[in-house]
């Protein structure tokens, strides 16, 4: 709805910046006043735009810090509602392994890191969350990677067509950890 329209507009702005050079975001958060009438379509468009944007940065996103932070972000999104079941882990793993940018890394590395965080979050959510956020913080040194971690989280969160309040909250916390403004991503 309106949130997804704003996220889509912001994603387009970020994509234009990535293609046009190194500018900082200007906060042109775009209100996206039209609701468009296509609820599901705008969600699918948002995920598509962010996937495209991340794909355009694929050659830049090859560091271990991005890989590890992305896997921590995916685990946090999966566990945002406080629990993770086997079907959700399977679906999340499929999304991770099918993600164009994450194909920069060997699948077993991704699985290992994702499962490590999921296990920690399942055993002790507050401690697992703190450890995942520490991993995410390592991407803060490179602004392109930091933004890509949040974008990856949004893509993963929106892949099921439902962007829950818990997922938005976890993404806002990750933004704070990375020194990014949640408003930049309309969170």
């Amino acid at each position: 709805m309106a949130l997804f329209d704003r996220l889509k507009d912001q994603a387009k702005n970020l994509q234009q910046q990535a293609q046009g050079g190194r500018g900082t975001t200007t906060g042109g958060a775009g209100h996206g006043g039209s609701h468009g009438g296509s609820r599901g379509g705008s969600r699918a468009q948002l995920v598509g735009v962010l996937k495209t944007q991340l794909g355009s940065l694929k050659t830049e996103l090859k560091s271990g810090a991005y890989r590890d932070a992305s896997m921590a972000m995916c685990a946090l999104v999966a566990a945002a509602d406080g629990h993770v079941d086997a079907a959700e882990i399977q679906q999340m793993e499929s999304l991770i392994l099918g993600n164009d940018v994450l194909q920069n890394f060997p699948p077993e590395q991704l699985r290992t890191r994702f499962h490590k965080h999921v296990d920690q979050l399942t055993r002790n959510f507050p401690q697992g969350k703190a450890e995942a956020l520490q991993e995410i913080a390592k991407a803060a040194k490179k602004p392109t990677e930091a933004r890509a971690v949040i974008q990856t989280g949004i893509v993963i969160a929106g892949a099921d067509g439902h962007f829950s309040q818990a997922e938005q909250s976890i993404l806002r916390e990750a933004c704070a950890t990375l020194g990014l403004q949640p408003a930049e991503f309309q969170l």
Side-chain angles (χ1 to χ4, degrees), residues 150-167:
I150 299 300
Q151 292 167 320
T152 299
I154 292 170
V155 166
I156 296 296
D160 64 357
H162 178 69
F163 197 37
S164 74
Q165 289 296 324
E167 290 167 337

Side-chain angles (χ1 to χ4, degrees), residues 12-22 52-53 56-57:
K12 285 180 185 175
N13 290 339
L14 290 170
Q15 184 176 18
Q16 290 168 351
Q17 288 174 4
Q19 291 171 348
R22 297 184 147 154
T52 300
Q53 180 181 357
S56 71
L57 298 171

Side-chain angles (χ1 to χ4, degrees), residues 44 50 63 68 88 99 117 124 132 144 176-177:
L50 290 176
S63 78
D68 296 350
E88 194 171 9
N99 182 290
H117 287 291
N124 181 337
T144 299
T177 298

Side-chain angles (χ1 to χ4, degrees), residues 9 59 85 87 92 102 118 122 128 131 136 139 163 168 177:
D9 291 344
T59 58
D85 60 32
M92 189 66 68
L102 294 173
V118 168
T122 305
E131 290 177 22
I136 288 168
F163 197 37
Q168 291 178 50
T177 298

Side-chain angles (χ1 to χ4, degrees), residues 43-116:
R43 289 179 184 160
Q45 283 180 313
L46 168 67
V47 171
V49 167
L50 290 176
K51 280 183 181 179
T52 300
Q53 180 181 357
L54 285 168
S56 71
L57 298 171
K58 183 176 181 174
T59 58
E60 296 177 48
L61 300 173
K62 293 185 177 183
S63 78
Y66 169 72
R67 176 200 59 210
D68 296 350
S70 292
M71 290 306 91
M73 183 81 262
C74 289
L76 280 172
V77 167
D81 62 1
H83 72 281
V84 185
D85 60 32
E88 194 171 9
I89 290 172
Q90 180 83 24
Q91 178 187 17
M92 189 66 68
E93 197 172 292
S94 293
L95 290 169
I96 290 167
L97 297 177
N99 182 290
D100 188 44
V101 175
L102 294 173
Q103 289 177 3
N104 281 335
F105 309 103
E108 204 47 49
Q109 287 181 5
L110 299 175
R111 272 191 201 95
T112 299
R113 284 162 175 79
F114 173 69
H115 285 283
K116 176 189 99 171

Side-chain angles (χ1 to χ4, degrees), residues 118-146:
V118 168
D119 291 345
Q120 290 170 334
L121 288 160
T122 305
R123 273 194 308 268
N124 181 337
F125 186 80
Q127 181 180 347
K129 179 178 162 185
E131 290 177 22
L133 289 171
Q134 284 177 350
E135 197 73 55
I136 288 168
K138 294 176 184 176
K141 295 174 187 169
K142 296 183 180 175
T144 299
E145 289 183 4

